[in-house]
Amino acid sequence: MRASRAIALLLLLQARRTMTAAELAAELEVSERTVQRDVAALAEAGVPVYAERGRAGGYRLVDGYRTRLTGLERAEAEVLHLAGLPGPLRDMGLAGHALAARLKAAAALGDAPAAAARRFHLDAPAWFRDAETPPLLAEVSRAVWEDRVLHARYAARGGTRDRRLEPYGLVLKAGHWYLAARSPSGRVGSYRVDRFETAGAGEERFERDPEFDLAGYWEAAAREFTRSLLRERAQVRLSPLAVEHLAVLLEPVAAADALATAGPPDADGWVTVTLPVESRELGYFELLRLGPEAEVLRPPELRTRLAEATRRAAALYTRE
């Protein structure tokens, strides 16, 4: 019997008092037969565990027995703050550490972790999308956790290239995994993990920059990425109501950049802004959301198209 599995089984029984063989097998990801053998091995080792028969029966520890094996190992402590993300932890190959950490925390804190789990859950992937786990995610994750240099073949828009990367962190955004990594030039960039064709972490380690802030980096990188997509501009008059709700109705970065260009309000309280849009086609659909709360001034073709859409909408609502 593996020692780590024996500890996990013991802590499960300590935290939950009674568990069936099927419940233990599901938690430990083994067969019920393996659970039976492990329980027998624990009993032979002097652990007071026994089987209680009946409808509410199962395996349990003698009342009053508590193990002292509650100290968190480093790997378990590192993943404890991710315990609310069972799917991503499994994808990264860290589910075993997370289970042991949760069990040790439960043994030390009683019902507190379970109470929190009943009240809070983070569902990271986006709606209407089946998130697929990148096949090399576990290997990339290992390099991140162990500060090992990653040798990879990466398919970017400019072509596929071999890369030597120092992996600083992983980000899960709307169902997609991204790696923040430093290249030999010293620049930290973002790489979609599903675009790695090969990836391997050898024995070589790198010196992590202690000042690097993953959350801060990602916030800035995501903002700049969004801005890089907003290649076109539209001059738009906005009503006070549109100004108030612009960040909700449009892309937040575009809305913030537009409002930063606003001049003083006119006599009706409307302001003129320069709105960044990804394209005139997408800009048309985005500005439709504002309805009569916005007037497109330029470019002329976008103004003409919105005017035509307004006439068509008016015709729909004036029919008898």
Side-chain angles (χ1 to χ4, degrees), residues 4 21 29 32 65 94 110 129 156 202 266 302-303:
S4 59
E29 297 183 351
E32 292 186 35
Y65 176 84
L94 300 172
R129 178 183 298 154
D266 61 19
L302 185 57
R303 177 181 174 88

Side-chain angles (χ1 to χ4, degrees), residues 29-275:
E29 297 183 351
V30 296
S31 67
E32 292 186 35
R33 180 60 180 162
T34 297
V35 168
Q36 294 167 359
R37 287 198 298 265
D38 288 353
V39 169
L42 284 174
E44 290 177 6
V47 175
V49 58
Y50 66 96
E52 193 172 56
R53 303 192 180 280
R55 177 179 297 180
Y59 293 110
R60 63 177 300 161
L61 297 170
V62 169
D63 289 344
Y65 176 84
R66 294 187 66 82
T67 176
R68 298 179 181 272
L69 297 174
T70 55
L72 291 173
E73 298 176 3
R74 176 174 176 174
E76 296 162 356
E78 286 174 338
V79 301
L80 185 58
H81 72 289
L82 297 174
L85 296 169
L89 279 170
R90 182 179 59 251
D91 296 342
M92 289 188 289
L94 300 172
H97 291 312
L99 173 61
R102 288 198 303 271
L103 292 173
K104 291 181 180 181
L109 301 176
D111 188 52
R118 286 193 295 268
R119 290 164 174 82
F120 301 100
H121 174 67
L122 177 59
D123 184 11
W127 289 102
F128 313 118
R129 178 183 298 154
D130 292 329
E132 295 185 2
T133 302
L136 295 171
L137 177 60
E139 183 66 16
V140 173
S141 173
R142 185 175 76 87
V144 170
W145 284 102
E146 299 177 3
D147 293 342
R148 296 184 184 274
V149 171
L150 190 70
H151 295 276
R153 188 162 181 79
Y154 185 74
R157 291 182 179 178
T160 302
R161 293 175 50 192
D162 291 327
R163 298 179 183 267
R164 179 188 183 277
L165 300 172
E166 297 176 358
Y168 270 43
L170 282 164
V171 175
L172 177 58
K173 171 68 172 178
H176 290 295
W177 286 94
Y178 296 86
L179 173 70
R182 186 170 63 187
S183 66
S185 67
R187 177 181 174 276
V188 176
S190 302
Y191 304 84
R192 269 186 55 162
V193 177
D194 59 1
R195 292 181 180 168
F196 284 111
E197 295 182 354
T198 62
E203 296 301 316
E204 182 184 3
R205 296 180 183 270
F206 65 92
E207 188 71 25
R208 178 180 289 269
D209 181 359
E211 301 298 320
F212 179 76
D213 174 22
L214 180 60
Y217 161 80
W218 180 255
E219 181 180 359
R223 189 165 52 244
E224 290 309 308
F225 174 74
T226 299
R227 286 198 176 103
S228 72
L229 298 177
L230 304 173
R231 300 185 180 92
E232 305 216 20
R233 299 292 182 268
Q235 191 177 46
V236 185
R237 288 181 68 239
L238 300 174
S239 73
L241 186 61
V243 169
E244 181 181 354
H245 296 285
L246 199 65
V248 176
L249 295 171
L250 302 184
E251 205 289 322
V253 171
D257 287 355
L259 294 177
T261 68
D266 61 19
D268 297 322
W270 288 51
V271 297
T272 299
V273 303
T274 300
L275 175 68

